[in-house]
Structure formats: C-alpha cells, structure tokens
Amino acid sequence: MTPAHDHQLAPGGRTPLAELLRGHRLRAGLTQAELAHRAGIGVRTVRDLERGRSSRPQRTTVELLADALGLTDGPRAAFLTTARGRVTVPAVAADAGRAPGAGSAPREPDPSGTPIALPPPVELIGRERDLADLAALLTTDHWPPVVTLVGLAGVGKTALALAVAHEVVAAYPGGVAGVLVGEGSDAADVLAAMSAVLGAARLPDLAVRLRNRPTFLLVDAAERAPDPLAEALRQLTDAVPSLRVLVTGRHPVGVPGELVRPVAPLDVPPADVVDAADLARYPAAALFAARLARVRPEPPDPRELPALAALVRRLGGLPLAIELMAARGRILDLDELLDRYGDRVLDLASPNLGRRGWEAAEPAGSGRARAAVAVTLREAVATSYRLLAASERAAVRRLSAFANRWSVELAEELLADEADRDGAVVVDPVPLLDRLVELGLLSVRGAGPFRFRLLDAVRDFAVERAAGLGELTAIRRRHAVVVARLVTRTAPDLVGAKLPAAVRQLDEATSDISAALAHAATDDPLTALRLAAALTRWWRLRGRDVSGRQWLRRLLADPRTADADPVLRAWALLGVARLAAEHGAGAQELPAARAALDVFAAHGEVTGELEARTVLCALLVGAGEHDEGREQAQAVLALATRHGRIRDMAVAQNNLTWHEIRLGDLTGARRRLAIVDRLAAQCDERRLRLLARANLADVARLQGRYAEAVEQGRRVAGALADLGDPGHRRRVLGTVGLALARDGRLDEAVDVLAELRAEARPVPLGPGPAVPVEGPPAAVSVPRRDVVPSGSALPNGVVVRSEPVSPGAVMPSPAGSGRLGWPVGQGRASAAVATPQPEEGIVALIEGTVALHRGDRELAAEWFGAAVEAGVDGQYRRDVVEALVGLAASTGDPAVLDRLDRACRESGIRLLPYEQDLLRGLRPVG
C-alpha cells in the first residue's frame, strides 16, 4: 500500500504528517539536516517523511522528532496523533508555539483568553509612536489584509512587530501566532508552516477553524523566500478572510491590498545637544545609554556626552549598530569608541546582524543554536542595495553626495544628465524615491522641502561603491554645482520679507554647503568662488565672517580663478570687505571694496554699485574718514532714488542718520529714521524697519526720553527674537538697560543685565571655546560659530592660536553705534577669537551707570574702564564716548578728560547736553 492509501493527502500530494513536520521545522528555522542532527536520525528519514514517502514512521522516530522540535502538550499530542494516522486539527494553545528557535518557555494565554504563539516582546526604546500607530491600524474595522514593515537589517523591524503583536492580542480571539520564513522555502513549505502555527494541518481545516474569528499572524524575514511567501499569503488570505497578517522584510511582499510601512532609524540628537537631560529625549541616545548600562556600571561621564551624541549620529540611529557599539563600552570609554570606530561604522559585525529576534535569542549551550557567523553592517546594507536595478544603484551613489536632508528639486538636479546643460531632458526622481522608501533605504521626515535623506549606513555604503567604481570625484563635482545653484537662487532673498525663509533654507543645507565648498575649492575652484561669493550675507548673519573671509581670500588668490568673470570676482572682493568689517578688520579691506566698486561701475551693475558704496560707507566711518563715508551714503541715496530702489534708499537714509547723531543733531536723526521706517514699510522690509525702530529707541535714550526708549526697545527686542536676529536683539536690550539705568530704575536694569549675560554665555555652535561675561574684565568674548580651536588652520592655511587677544589688537566694527549696527550695510559687529565685542561694552556701560547711580564711584570707574577698552585700537564709537564720559565723571582724572577730547576730535562726535552736564566742574576754568 502506498503512503497515499494510508494517509489523507494534503494539497500538493503530501500527507498531513509531512505538512505538519515541515511546518514545525520551518517555524524552528531548521534545515532538514539540522533537524536530523538534533533528533539523532538520518537526514533521509526526515526527507522521506516530509515528502510523504514514509507511511508508518516508528513511534521512537516520531518522539525523537517531537523532542528535537521542542513540542510540548497540545502540539506534541497533535503531532504524535497525526503520525499514527489519525489526522487532527491541533488547537493553538498557550504553549502551542515555543518561540521558533528561541527556546522560550511556554507562555500562558493573554488575560483576554486569546491564545498566543509568539516569543515574548523585547524592550522598545523610542518606538512609542510607531507602536501606537500600528496597533491602531491593526485594530480598525476596515483594515488591509497584509501590513508589511520594511527596512534595513538591524533597524528593529522584528522587535517592533513582536511588540505590536502582543499589543493587539485582545482584538484577535482566534489567536496570535508567528512564523519565521526559512531560506529556500517554497510556497507549500510556507503555507504548511503558517497553517501549523495557527493550529491546523491543512488550509481547508484552517479556514473552517478560523471562520469569523479574527486571527493575527506575524510573518518574519519575508526576504528569505519572497515569491513563495507572496503565493502562500494570497492563498491564505483568500481562504481565511478573518486573518490579518503583519510581515517584516527588507522589501514589500507584493500581494494585493498590502500596506507598506517603512521602519526608520531612531531620532538622533543634533550637534548642539550635549546635556544629559536633553540627550535622553532622543531615542538613539537613550538606547545607547541603556545598552551601555548593561556592560559597565557607571553612567557616561559629562565629558563623554559629546562623544555619545556624535556616536549615535554617526551610527545613523540604527538600533542594532547602536547596540553593537555600546557593547564595546565594556572595554573602551566613549571618546575611544568614537576615535576607533567613528569612521568604520560599516565594519561593525555581529552574528545576530540580519538574524531575527527568535534566532538571536537562542540560549547558549541549548544544543539548538545555529552556527554563528559574524556579518558586517556593510554586508547587511549590500543585501538591500542588490535589490535595486542598475540605474537605481547609480542614482543612490549620486544621492550619497548629499550630507544632510535634501529636496525633490535638488535630487532632480543632481540626477540630471550632465551633458544636458539646457535641462531639455527631465528626470523625474519621484518613482526612484518611492522605491527607496519602499525598501527602507530613504528617510522622509518633516513637512518642508528638505525632508529626504539616505540612511547613514546606506550613504556610507554608496560612497564606498562610488569610490570603488571611480565615480566619486565626478559625483562630488556635480553636487558642488547643484549646491552653488541653490545658494545663488536663494541669496537675493537674504534681504527683505523673504529673509527668514531664505536663512532657514540655507541653514538646512549647511552640511552640504560645507562639503561642496571644501571639495570644489580643490577640484573646481570657479564653482567654489561662485558659491562663496553668494554666501556672504548668510555667513554674516550666522557669525561665520572670519572663516567666510578666509574662504573668499583663498579662492580669489587661486590662479585658476584669475580669468573668472570680473563681476563675479568683484562680488567676492566685496564679500571679503563686508565680512572683514564684521570682525574689526574693515580698514584692511578698503582697497578690495574700492576695486569692487570700480568693476561694478564699469559694467553698469547697479545692484553691485549700491552694495559696494554701502559697504564703503561703513568701512570709511570705521577708518575715521567720516566725510567720505557720508559722501558714499549720499551717493547711494542718489543712485537708489534714480533707479527706484526703495530698500537701498532706506539703507542710505539709515546710514546718514549716524552722521546726524555724531554731530548731536538728534532731532534730524529722528526725522531721518521716520523716513527709513516709511521706506522699509513700502518695500516690506520688516527687518530693516525693526532696526530703524531700534535706532529710534537709542535716539530717544540719548535725548533723555527714557520711558519711550524702554517701551520702544522692548517691543523691538521681542520682534527681533521672533525674526531670529539675536545679535541685534542683544543690542536693543543694551539700549533698554542703559535707559533704565539712567532713569534710576536700577532693579529693572539689573534684570536686563542678567538677560544679556544669559544670552552671551557660550553655546556649542561651533568647534571652539568662548568665555562668558562675568565680572569687569578688560577683554572677554561672546559665542561665535566660526571660532576654531588652537592650532587649527583656516581655509587659507593660517593657523589660529586661542590665546586672548588684548584690547587694541583688532580693529572694531566700522559701525557708527556698536549697539545698533550703524550703518545698516554692515549688520552686527563681531570679533575674532577672544576679541572684545560691542555687546560687552554695553554690559560694562550699564554696570557703570548703575554703580554711579548708587554712589559707588570706584566700582563705576572699573566698569566704565572696561567699556572703554571694548572700543579697540582707538576707533571710538558713540558708546565708547559715553563710557569715557562716565569714567571721567567717576574719577575726575584729567588724563581721562584728555582722552575724551581726543576721541571726540578723531571721531567727530559732539557731546550731548546731559554729557556736558556730567562733566561740568571737572574741567579747569580758563
């Protein structure tokens, strides 16, 4: 009698025992040889049983197989009964599924009564929202039959899926179970395993058993047998409409009605977050800290926190990579980990990389552990990379040039054919991006245009591939061109109503701007010069004037740019002058500004001429050439009026206001600022309008209208905070503080001082130390973004030392008022490393005024002296003259009076009536 006569056949000609045995083996993740080895029987016996060729296996053989498969209670009884020829449909009892290959203990039913055949859930960190969203999706009435979680190996798909499965138990009275797909399985294998774990030997029996009973099935590792799994799922979901399936894999299954949900890496902290409490809010850092706690008893030292943040950023938030790195913390501290592995992330290896939760959990010494072969993160990424078509791989290698998030438009430019200079052939990147998201290779976050980013491990791998194929230089050159175009398009919006949005856009592209500039400076200096010349305003607004000036000087000096468009070189020269003025070196670059003006005038570049004359106005004032500075401002006003350039008219009027104040004509200054306000409103220049009102508050203070100055200044400070202009906001606060101090409202003035000092404390904006304002020192520094550590080289190779620069070592801002940024063409004043700042002079001036009101002349003299020293190298601003007046009033020192007289002569500043009153009686009669 043939086996077919002895046993009822399952679909495909196999017996129920064959189906059941094959299903249990696949659930356990075993090959036929591995099962035979565990059971102590021949592999041919297992093969014959699964093929239905052995009709009456010996009882001992069946029991050995049950032991090797770890079957207990219900499943064991069902297996033995089926082997004796009596087909049964085993119930999915609480112990129906030891975790396949995990050796987990039998689990009790959920309190709801739902039977569970799954490994226990693992601890999840940072997946609360994903868990809630998926649980809600899987418990709705109108749900898709198959939901697939896709993503890289190690991103946490299985852990999330297990947590979801346990979360939704109460909604599935028919049972919750899971299967692990085995390598090389066919559709019958997969279907048998799924039927077995759900408590049936055959699909028809399963359909009867689960009719109208909602049931949940987790299928893990879909990529091991994608086509057979797709076929099995189609059969299963058609036969059992009440079944819902959650699949994990590196790509979608491809069945009708499938909903694909990519699993992204964990959120990582930005570069400026290094505080322990702040780091704990980012899941990647929290996971690293939790795993580190398993291998060493002490928490990270505060000095290690920057390294911790850098490590999880470098690991791209990939959970398994984070766990592997944290495990090395048993031997190395975090700084050592960063030094040793920061550039070798793809080399991280583990036997569990690419294995599933139930495989990785195999207890040591259980006799059931599979051979462990270390797999690197590089190999895991390569598996997903190989799923792409050749053209898609080439696109990924190009996209790897982006250092941070990017937009669809930037991707379109980067992927365009370089030979198609006219853009006649449009390459739509959307299908490609959709494919990359589908495979979990691309992160999409945020609502703005810059929301796409290759996963860090994918980017690193693609860069390696591009280098290996000899493409990297060409890709980076193309990237620099694309970034230069972006900056050139955005630069005109860095004035006017669009300024905040333009600054945000360039802020988002900061990493790519830096990478493009660094590469192009060597490989394509003309593109680098075009990029740097367009960055001047942004560098100034972001306090990167020192490094920006160095980049421009280096590129202008490069012989390969000598034949560049003269207008382009003129813009770069003007950028050098503008940025030099920001850190007190404007007089050094007067020739550059004059040369730029000559080129613009010769080529009829009206915009360039207006800009050059505006910058010259500021530089000349700083150099003590007040009359010529006024002439340049008047020339700007005339040229702007002739061409209808309203904003430039407003800028010129604002710059001319300084000269009114210098001569003591405060009424004339108020009239001119009213004109600035009107013109700025006409051209919708909110920032310029706010600066005019800030200057108006300072004029009110100088007139002794202290209440008006305080009220106006506070309104402007709030608006500047909303606009994102902290430098000018601090200066307006200085006006408010001085007005309060002179009005005798000393407690309020002290509150403003506290606010100024809080904002001046160093923050981790860039690589380098900054000294907070504490006490009355002669020279202190404020935070900067382009301060560099001692021994570092700027782009032109100049080495910077971090020793404090003594007062007088660097020229001050050429602005007429250190507080409010006169003239407007120059914006805020800032210093080089450890150089006194206008803000520091304001703090000292307020402190001195408060002390003088309290009658403490000795302390007042100390503070007024510090304020004077903030006016470096004899370039006297209006606030320095005020400090000299206060110092003279505090000490009565004739030498101070002589210095004050000299300052007024050299700067052309006339003392105001209240200042003359303070000095009355101090000067010798006759």
Side-chain angles (χ1 to χ4, degrees), residues 345-668:
V345 170
L346 291 176
D347 293 326
L348 288 173
S350 168
N352 294 332
L353 192 57
R355 300 180 70 190
R356 289 351 224 211
W358 25 46
E359 294 175 317
E362 192 75 60
S366 65
R368 299 174 58 186
R370 297 170 64 184
V373 179
V375 178
T376 65
L377 186 56
R378 178 182 292 101
E379 292 166 325
V381 175
T383 301
S384 295
Y385 178 78
R386 286 192 290 268
L387 296 172
L388 299 169
S391 60
E392 293 171 333
R393 296 178 194 176
V396 168
R397 293 195 296 273
R398 281 198 174 192
L399 293 173
S400 70
F402 286 121
N404 202 0
R405 296 198 174 273
W406 34 270
S407 66
V408 173
E409 290 73 21
L410 287 179
E412 190 171 38
E413 286 190 63
L414 189 67
L415 298 176
D417 186 352
E418 292 186 49
D420 180 30
R421 297 185 179 275
D422 298 327
V425 179
V426 177
V427 179
D428 183 5
V430 173
L432 168 70
L433 302 186
D434 185 61
R435 171 71 168 154
L436 297 180
V437 169
E438 185 180 70
L439 294 178
L441 305 179
L442 182 67
S443 166
V444 184
R445 288 186 180 172
F450 287 75
R451 61 184 183 276
F452 302 95
R453 177 187 174 99
L454 288 177
L455 270 62
D456 290 69
V458 175
R459 179 179 178 271
D460 290 349
F461 178 83
V463 168
E464 280 191 356
R465 295 296 302 147
L469 295 170
E471 302 172 341
L472 194 56
T473 298
I475 288 174
R476 287 178 172 170
R477 184 183 301 125
R478 177 71 178 178
H479 171 259
V481 170
V482 170
V483 173
R485 289 175 183 168
L486 168 70
V487 174
T488 302
R489 289 194 302 267
T490 308
D493 293 335
L494 289 172
V495 295
K498 295 181 180 179
L499 183 144
V503 170
R504 281 196 301 272
Q505 180 157 295
L506 295 184
D507 285 349
E508 289 177 333
T510 297
S511 298
D512 283 292
I513 290 171
S514 299
L517 189 57
H519 176 76
T522 300
D523 183 66
D524 185 6
L526 191 58
T527 295
L529 182 65
R530 189 176 300 113
L531 172 59
L535 283 170
T536 300
R537 287 186 183 275
W538 181 70
W539 274 333
R540 180 169 57 88
L541 289 167
R542 285 294 174 251
R544 296 186 172 99
D545 41 277
V546 173
S547 57
R549 178 188 174 203
Q550 296 290 352
W551 273 118
L552 285 166
R553 291 179 65 183
R554 167 184 167 175
L555 293 168
L556 284 166
D558 192 318
R560 293 173 293 175
T561 67
D563 296 329
D565 178 6
V567 173
L568 172 60
R569 287 184 61 86
W571 279 111
L573 284 168
L574 188 61
V576 169
R578 187 194 299 275
L579 295 174
E582 292 296 304
H583 50 271
Q588 299 174 25
E589 303 295 354
L590 265 171
R594 294 188 192 278
L597 176 60
D598 291 342
V599 173
F600 291 137
H603 286 77
E605 285 283 338
V606 175
T607 300
E609 184 176 350
L610 288 167
E611 291 275 346
R613 290 190 183 279
T614 299
V615 172
L616 270 172
C617 169
L619 298 185
L620 290 164
V621 168
E625 301 292 338
H626 305 290
D627 292 337
E628 188 182 351
R630 185 185 184 96
E631 289 172 6
Q632 290 292 349
Q634 290 170 336
V636 171
L637 181 59
L639 185 62
T641 303
R642 186 162 64 249
H643 289 276
R645 302 289 188 92
I646 296 176
R647 181 186 181 277
D648 294 293
M649 291 165 59
V651 169
Q653 291 283 12
N654 193 82
N655 290 348
L656 287 167
T657 303
W658 150 243
H659 296 280
E660 309 282 2
I661 294 176
R662 180 171 62 91
L663 299 174
D665 185 3
L666 300 182
T667 302

Side-chain angles (χ1 to χ4, degrees), residues 649-731:
M649 291 165 59
V651 169
Q653 291 283 12
N654 193 82
N655 290 348
L656 287 167
T657 303
W658 150 243
H659 296 280
E660 309 282 2
I661 294 176
R662 180 171 62 91
L663 299 174
D665 185 3
L666 300 182
T667 302
R670 290 183 71 91
R671 283 196 301 267
R672 215 177 269 281
L673 287 171
I675 296 173
V676 175
D677 186 76
R678 174 177 59 79
L679 292 173
Q682 275 184 250
C683 61
D684 198 21
E685 239 288 16
R686 185 187 176 206
R687 179 173 176 272
L688 181 54
R689 195 174 187 187
L690 286 172
L691 295 185
R693 292 181 176 183
N695 292 340
L696 189 60
D698 202 40
V699 170
R701 177 187 67 82
L702 293 172
Q703 290 179 313
R705 299 157 70 166
Y706 299 126
E708 177 188 334
V710 170
E711 181 183 0
Q712 176 91 294
R714 281 178 167 160
R715 281 202 305 268
V716 172
L720 286 171
D722 295 338
L723 193 63
D725 192 340
H728 280 106
R729 180 178 182 274
R730 285 193 295 271
R731 295 180 182 90

Side-chain angles (χ1 to χ4, degrees), residues 834-855:
T835 301
Q837 295 289 285
E839 297 95 320
E840 300 152 13
I842 298 166
V843 168
L845 197 54
I846 297 171
E847 288 278 15
T849 306
V850 169
L852 192 60
H853 267 272
R854 288 175 173 165

